[in-house]
Amino acid sequence: MLGKIRLGILGCGAITQNAHLPTALRDPCVQVTALVDADLNRARLLQRFVGPSCEVTERFSNVVGNVDAVIIAMPNHLHASTTIDALKAGVHVLCEKPLALTAAEARACCEVATRKGLVLAVGMNRRFDDRRVLLRRALEDELLGSLTGYDWQCGSPWEWETASGFYFSRAQAGGGVLMDVGVHLLDSLLDWFGPVNRVDYQHDDWGGGIEANALLKLHHFGRFGEISGSVKLSRTYNLTNRLMVSGSAARAVLPEADRSLITVHRLLGGHEASMTLRLTESYSPDESFSRQMSDFVESIQSHREATVDGWQAVGVLDLVERCYAQARRLSEPWAELDKARHEVGA
Amino acid sequence: VTWLQKPIFVTGATGFIGGRICERLVLAGATQVRALVHTVQHAPRIARLPITLCTGDLLNRESLRPAVGDARVVIHCALGQASGILRCTKNLLEVAADARADRFIHMSTAAVYGEKPSPSCETEHAPLRRTGDSYCDNKARAERAVSRFVRRGLPAVILRPSIVYGPYSFWSTRLLKALREGHVALIDGGKGACNTTYVDNLVDAVFLAIENQHAVGESFFITDGEQITWGDFVRAHIAMMNPPPTVPSISSEEVITHYRQQLGLWASSFSEARRVLLSVEFRKMLLQIPACERVLSAIWSRLQAFDQGTQQRLKAKIRGTSSTIGLLTLNENGKYIPDLTTWATESHTVFFRIDKARQVLGYTPRIPFAQGITLVEQWLRFANYL
């Protein structure tokens, strides 16, 4: 492809304003040529950062021919159908996670991308954090010894400045904390530890709502052998916000607050000692969204698969579906008090 | 068909009490619950429930009409700030009256009698008087507005809980934080009246107020009916902690002496000037001066450009927020001194009587303090506070 990639951004909500648009504007290989949003005011608001030459419209169909690639950052329920529309129009796609609400829909997206020979990347920006490489190398070098388990807690009171509020609609979001931040964690875990052959899942959806808290127990069988671990997710409580991977020789701690490092704890001369690992080589110049954009651009330019392609998203959604299918209600004894006797004075 | 099968509208639903009311409605089998959501970011708790979330703003009456819709029962738990308390309540009363709601439950507070009520306020018969506290006085004004609508035919009931605690309550989460930081002192040995109401006891009272025809037009104190002191409440939380912190005592006399010395001419003048400058009356007068009107309008438009959450944070910063447990100052001897609101709240010895609620509503507090605090501890552990 000669010259800059003409990029359209579909969906002008918070993630576009805070991450995708600034990243695209910084990328020398990209020219933002279109902003699309059902709410034209949102699109016009962001157009001010791009310039008047950037087309602003309500529908993707209006910008076909003016874009080589698109970022899809619309409410979740529109991801799959818009991805398919874009691919069918001959446009490369970087779709925000989750790629679809179901694995079947995600598979359909992948099939169209394969048939059309186009790039389908999924916005799992955490995969471009330094710690992904650091932990993988630590595991490959057997720094932790043989793996014994992991514990990942990720949660804090919800603060995302959502523009549309779709996150709280099951029909539009497809789920709660598992479908939102959970898919990031599952994607990383599948990447590090391989496929999951057993899963146990509990959440606090009262039936017909969307979960704010979830507990997962996963058993992997991958290149580092068998490993079991637990994941705790929350949109209401502050959790420890770190991943701890334990092995026979040491344990690695990956804090959510700084995704550029891991800390390895082990016994040294009978006493606990720790060392912090950071990448010293120039892995990539910028933060995860920039790296994700660069990866998308390179995939288009060199006709290769994206680092996080659609098929990997199918694997994650397949696991999400398994979780939801066997979901058990999280025990909340403080809340269930009234189950037996809700009628006052009865 | 009971009221549970009819449309029910809840304000303050993303908060502690309103959230629990929504949960209890679902547990009770309500199928048409609509919850007003002002700040979407606060909705995760109630988004778990099979209820409808309606975005709207109590300060904007027209935004309430579609949300209230054909609701037969309206439960008003929204908190509001300063004069917003009255405006929000009036707006909702108007809309509920227009919708001909069968019942309007107004969540008021025992603080309508002030942070430090006099002994004569232990029953609902005590008249409401100006207290000088913005929150207390505005809640009292909101009650009067409810009473006016009752006279116009809206079947409304006023509930006045005091210290409502339970899972999700800041009384427990802030207290734990303050205890960890060493920012708690037991005032007068902790013998002040805490007037606890376990949140499920309060929800029982809400349901009874909906069901009971004799409740209309009445106001009711709602507590656990036990004489729980602040010492009991604080010690119950200390018992959850490992290691348990030690908490010093401080006498009311020490607190008063400290603030008498602190609030000299300049400090008290500054405090009073701030109150005047932030008052609605002063702003109205300023708006009569064209140049001031232009400047204030420009500031107001700038403020509107921020999202609701940021707006609230900015407003709170300008107005200042009344402190609760744990916000202490240090005196010249290095001893922590509670702020005056905390002192007033925790030093009075008035236990509000719930005889009227027992007689008229048939209210019986079914969760005693010991059980309530156990449930709180279970939740605190689950939620990583312990």
Side-chain angles (χ1 to χ4, degrees), chain A residues 153-232:
Chain A
Q153 294 193 22
C154 188
S156 55
W158 175 265
E159 284 180 351
W160 185 250
E161 303 278 353
T162 169
S164 64
F166 79 87
Y167 281 99
F168 297 110
S169 156
R170 173 165 284 281
Q172 293 183 11
V177 69
L178 179 65
M179 193 56 124
D180 179 25
V181 72
V183 293
H184 274 302
L185 273 57
L186 295 180
D187 175 69
S188 294
L189 290 169
L190 291 173
D191 179 49
W192 281 317
F193 304 121
V196 169
N197 52 11
R198 284 201 305 276
V199 59
D200 179 77
Y201 177 73
Q202 297 175 61
H203 67 190
D204 62 353
D205 169 14
W206 282 39
I210 53 170
E211 76 283 356
N213 293 277
L215 284 178
L216 297 89
K217 291 194 188 307
L218 305 167
H219 185 84
H220 303 255
F221 191 84
R223 58 184 295 209
F224 301 112
E226 290 192 56
I227 179 171
S228 295
S230 61
V231 178
K232 188 173 180 181

Side-chain angles (χ1 to χ4, degrees), chain A residues 17-36:
Chain A
Q17 184 170 353
N18 298 331
H20 292 306
L21 183 59
T23 302
L25 292 174
R26 281 199 303 268
D27 195 304
C29 302
V30 164
Q31 182 188 359
V32 179
T33 53
L35 290 166
V36 181

Side-chain angles (χ1 to χ4, degrees), chain B residues 86-312:
Chain B
L86 180 60
R87 282 176 57 201
C88 292
T89 305
K90 277 182 172 175
N91 283 342
L92 188 62
L93 285 163
E94 288 279 359
V95 175
D98 291 349
R100 297 184 182 282
D102 295 333
R103 190 58 49 96
F104 186 101
I105 304 297
H106 177 68
M107 193 60 69
S108 186
T109 167
V112 288
Y113 292 116
E115 299 291 2
K116 196 170 175 60
S118 69
S120 64
C121 299
E122 65 176 17
T123 70
E124 298 86 344
H125 302 300
L128 296 178
R129 294 200 172 91
R130 190 173 179 278
T131 67
D133 180 281
S134 167
Y135 172 73
C136 300
D137 290 340
N138 279 298
K139 287 298 276 188
R141 287 187 193 111
E143 279 201 10
R144 290 191 195 99
V146 173
S147 299
R148 282 196 294 277
F149 273 80
V150 170
R151 290 194 288 277
R152 283 168 50 179
L154 181 70
V157 184
I158 294 168
L159 299 180
R160 293 175 180 165
S162 182
I163 304 298
V164 186
Y165 78 105
Y168 295 90
S169 165
F170 71 81
W171 286 112
S172 289
T173 56
R174 286 192 199 171
L175 176 56
L176 284 181
K177 184 171 182 288
L179 283 166
R180 285 199 181 98
E181 293 168 353
H183 291 174
V184 179
L186 287 179
I187 299 164
D188 299 330
K191 69 172 196 277
C194 190
N195 284 300
T196 53
T197 312
Y198 186 71
V199 65
D200 275 310
N201 290 339
L202 178 59
V203 182
D204 284 353
V206 170
F207 286 12
L208 288 165
I210 293 167
E211 291 163 359
N212 195 316
Q213 283 306 320
H214 302 293
V216 173
E218 300 291 339
S219 50
F220 301 94
F221 283 132
I222 303 295
T223 75
D224 291 340
E226 293 175 80
Q227 299 213 334
I228 301 298
T229 64
W230 278 101
D232 297 330
F233 192 72
V234 171
R235 280 189 283 270
H237 287 81
I238 290 172
M240 300 173 191
M241 301 170 75
N242 189 18
T246 49
V247 176
S249 283
I250 190 166
S251 69
S252 282
E253 201 180 346
E254 282 177 90
V255 178
I256 294 163
T257 306
H258 171 79
Y259 284 107
R260 272 206 190 120
Q261 287 166 355
Q262 293 294 307
L263 281 179
L265 175 69
W266 287 108
S268 54
S269 300
F270 178 78
S271 167
E272 193 58 19
R274 177 190 164 95
R275 191 187 66 77
V276 171
L277 288 170
L278 292 174
S279 68
V280 176
E281 293 78 11
F282 183 71
R283 283 210 302 274
K284 276 182 183 165
M285 286 167 69
L286 271 184
L287 287 170
Q288 291 170 17
I289 305 168
C292 291
E293 193 271 336
R294 191 168 290 183
V295 171
L296 285 174
S297 299
I299 293 171
W300 183 250
S301 324
R302 276 283 169 86
L303 195 61
Q304 296 308 302
F306 294 105
D307 61 86
Q308 294 283 355
T310 312
Q311 280 185 41
Q312 280 184 346

